[in-house]
Amino acid sequence: MTAPQLLVLFGSQTGTAQDVAERLGREARRRRLGCRVQALDSYAVANLIREPLVVFVCATTGQGDPPDNMKNFWRFIFRKNLPSTSLCQMDFAVLGLGDSSYAKFNFVAKKLHRRLLQLGASALLPICLGDDQHELGPDAIIDPWLGDLWEKVLELYPVPIDLPVIPHGVPLPSKFTLQFLPEVPNPRSKESCLAISDSLGPPSESQPFLAPMVTNQRVTGPSHFQDVRLIEFDITDSGISFAAGDVVLIQPSNSAAHTQQFCHVLGLDPSQCFVLQPREPDVPCPPGLPQPCSVWQLVSQYLDIASVPRRSFFELLACLSPHELEREKLLELSSAQGQEDLCEYCSRPRRTILEVLCDFPHTAGAIPPDYLLDLIPQIRPRAFSIASSLLDFYWGDEWQELEKRGCLTLVTAFSREQGRKVYVQHRLRELGPLVWELLDRRGAYFYLAGNAKYMPTDVTEALMSIFQEEGGLSHPNAATYLARLQRTLRFQTETWA
């Protein structure tokens, strides 16, 4: 049987799902399988009815939401008028990436798997639920699942025996050719080879609006190890509308010093220009990369040279290293078993922003007080609790001033300044009657943000105790009450590892 073209479609918010999807593409090529890897919203979803073999890789964001680059696909695939036999010719597998500290762990992957079955598609194997909270990371679940996937695929669609698998450590054939130009079209050697034309249409991720920065203010104490900033931008001439809860995506660039150092180490001429050409007709060039492009522009604007490398980076280095021992170590760092060594090797200080607990309506995160009051012109917050340190008590003076004016009740838990630690969950229990009254009688909202390791579980247990002690609910009824708050979006979490 002739092996079909494998299609890998990904929905990725931060790049992790895309990295896994591209890994699938590399492993398919090692097994001599034709493979295309695309973002879900860049694929013509109506063509799914003709695809025989598809692997979906999708992350879950926020409160069970799909990533931005699969929202159009999400709306289409859940159209009620799609026939139940739409995808009856398709074999598929779904790989999810999520965080089990969230209530809707891998919600997108689970819902997509069920929907594909409803449309008649056949699952090659059970869904894979990668978990950021696993001590070895999501790859501890993904790696054995991928082994089962390739076994199933090659069983159904065997490749010719005269095409052996390309082993790990052997570089794959390049997808592109890079041709340096004999002359630099633009004399500005350290900038783009082509002048940037005026963007057409409204601002978007591919055509961003270059907003001037107005202020850049540090909001943590000068001696605090966390450097958290309030940055304001001027979008007066952009035509962009802004509503509460919107976020800004900032495309950074590498510093001139880092760019110069990178080029020096690799022996690259920053002023040299090149064009990139695919070796195969169905391989697109990287989106957004100008043609031609200068080495300086490539390194400064498009390569993340200061990031913590992913597993795939060490896998690629292993293919390029001429030293056997070095190659073995690189392959170890690219394995799930080597993740502890990889984290130690790549370790650098991590910034934890702030644990914020709100047990009143209409706020989220460490936002400025004036902005909070803009969100709730007719409802005053009844209580607010912050756990961290005086050094990262964001807008502390403003919060205290609002409390003096009677606009809110402020409760703090500065655990880093205490001999006997007092955390958010302790303050919640102390204020149990108030918390119950706010939630049960005044329709309050509860927003929880902070580190995902222990805090969400501890706070949830404190709430369950309050529901039982103050509300007289049994343990099962307290769990049902909490679930109802989550379902109606009156209890929301935003946590990170």
Side-chain angles (χ1 to χ4, degrees), residues 113-257:
H113 189 271
R114 290 194 298 269
R115 181 56 173 164
L116 294 171
L117 291 173
Q118 290 173 355
L119 296 176
S122 300
L124 290 172
L125 66 170
I127 186 174
C128 175
L129 302 177
D131 184 7
D132 275 346
Q133 291 300 313
H134 194 285
E135 60 181 4
L136 296 178
D139 291 315
I141 306 297
I142 293 172
D143 284 4
W145 185 87
L146 287 180
D148 294 340
L149 173 69
W150 295 125
E151 184 177 327
K152 179 68 72 172
V153 168
L154 293 176
E155 177 185 315
L156 294 173
Y157 307 102
V159 297
I161 58 175
D162 59 341
L163 291 177
V165 172
I166 302 174
H168 285 282
V170 176
L172 292 168
S174 174
K175 291 184 179 180
F176 303 95
T177 60
L178 188 147
Q179 180 183 357
F180 284 107
L181 302 179
E183 296 181 1
V184 180
N186 191 319
R188 295 179 299 168
S189 61
K190 288 190 177 181
E191 299 177 9
S192 172
C193 286
L194 295 178
I196 300 175
S197 59
D198 293 335
S199 296
L200 300 175
S204 64
E205 186 174 353
S206 59
Q207 293 183 331
F209 174 74
L210 302 181
M213 184 174 66
V214 178
T215 63
N216 183 350
Q217 174 189 354
R218 177 169 176 151
V219 294
T220 46
S223 62
H224 192 50
F225 68 94
Q226 297 170 333
D227 184 356
V228 181
R229 301 276 170 159
L230 170 64
I231 302 176
E232 298 182 50
F233 297 95
D234 182 0
I235 59 171
T236 305
D237 300 323
S238 67
I240 298 173
S241 60
F242 179 81
D246 285 351
V247 298
V248 175
L249 298 179
I250 301 176
Q251 180 175 334
S253 60
N254 296 307
S255 68

Side-chain angles (χ1 to χ4, degrees), residues 412-424:
T412 60
F414 295 133
S415 56
R416 293 195 184 116
E417 273 79 47
Q418 301 160 352
R420 178 177 173 273
K421 300 296 184 184
V422 177
Y423 297 105
V424 166

Side-chain angles (χ1 to χ4, degrees), residues 362-422:
H362 309 297
T363 187
I367 59 177
D370 290 342
Y371 186 57
L372 167 67
L373 296 183
D374 287 341
L375 299 179
I376 46 173
Q378 297 178 357
I379 305 176
R380 288 184 176 179
R382 300 292 180 175
F384 187 85
S385 180
I386 297 176
S388 190
S389 162
L390 282 167
L391 293 173
D392 60 5
F393 185 14
Y394 300 168
W395 300 284
D397 293 342
E398 289 90 337
W399 286 118
Q400 291 167 348
E401 177 61 28
L402 288 174
E403 184 179 33
K404 290 178 181 177
R405 288 162 44 191
C407 297
L408 54 81
T409 302
L410 176 66
V411 182
T412 60
F414 295 133
S415 56
R416 293 195 184 116
E417 273 79 47
Q418 301 160 352
R420 178 177 173 273
K421 300 296 184 184
V422 177

Side-chain angles (χ1 to χ4, degrees), residues 16 98-102 131-138 226 343 348-355 449-456 494-497:
T16 304
D99 186 322
S100 58
S101 67
Y102 282 76
D131 184 7
D132 275 346
Q133 291 300 313
H134 194 285
E135 60 181 4
L136 296 178
Q226 297 170 333
C343 290
R348 66 181 185 183
R350 290 187 177 183
R351 289 192 312 178
T352 302
I353 299 176
L354 180 67
E355 289 182 2
N451 190 284
K453 191 169 185 181
Y454 301 118
M455 188 268 298
E494 178 61 35
T495 58
W496 52 89

